[in-house]
Amino acid sequence: MMLETIKYDALNKTDFISRNLTYKVVDKTKIKSKLGKITCFKIEATAEGTLKKTSMIAYFNDKFGFVKIIFNNLDGSVIILNLDSVKNTI
């Protein structure tokens, strides 16, 4: 398993707030889902701006893509997205 950290500075063109964004693959783990146990890479991300800090935890599987994403938003709210089903389109 290759762990990688990516750091870069971005500029929000609408409000001109500078952000330091960091994405890091921190683990390879199994998570429970409606599809059963799925082996995923756990990715942690943060965005630090002049006003506040946000974060995200994502679980990525090679076959299904992102199966779970947890967003911690600027306003303190939390959004959790889960993959519940897969439709074969081929």
Side-chain angles (χ1 to χ4, degrees), residues 12-54:
N12 184 320
K13 292 184 178 22
T14 57
D15 57 14
F16 296 101
I17 297 174
S18 226
R19 291 193 173 92
N20 180 23
L21 306 174
T22 303
Y23 297 86
K24 185 175 184 179
V25 178
V26 295
D27 197 9
K28 188 171 185 179
T29 186
K30 288 187 179 185
I31 64 168
K32 293 180 185 177
S33 76
K34 289 189 176 183
L35 302 173
K37 286 188 178 182
I38 301 174
T39 301
C40 298
F41 290 99
K42 181 179 180 182
I43 302 161
E44 294 180 351
T46 58
E48 295 181 65
T50 55
L51 299 177
K52 292 186 178 184
K53 180 178 177 179
T54 64

Side-chain angles (χ1 to χ4, degrees), residues 33-36 38 66-68 81-87:
S33 76
K34 289 189 176 183
L35 302 173
I38 301 174
F66 288 99
V67 296
K68 183 173 186 174
L81 303 175
N82 287 297
L83 178 66
D84 289 338
S85 64
V86 176
K87 182 178 179 182

Side-chain angles (χ1 to χ4, degrees), residues 60-75:
F60 181 85
N61 174 271
D62 290 331
K63 180 178 179 181
F64 300 118
F66 288 99
V67 296
K68 183 173 186 174
I69 305 175
I70 304 165
F71 295 101
N72 295 294
N73 300 307
L74 288 172
D75 63 1

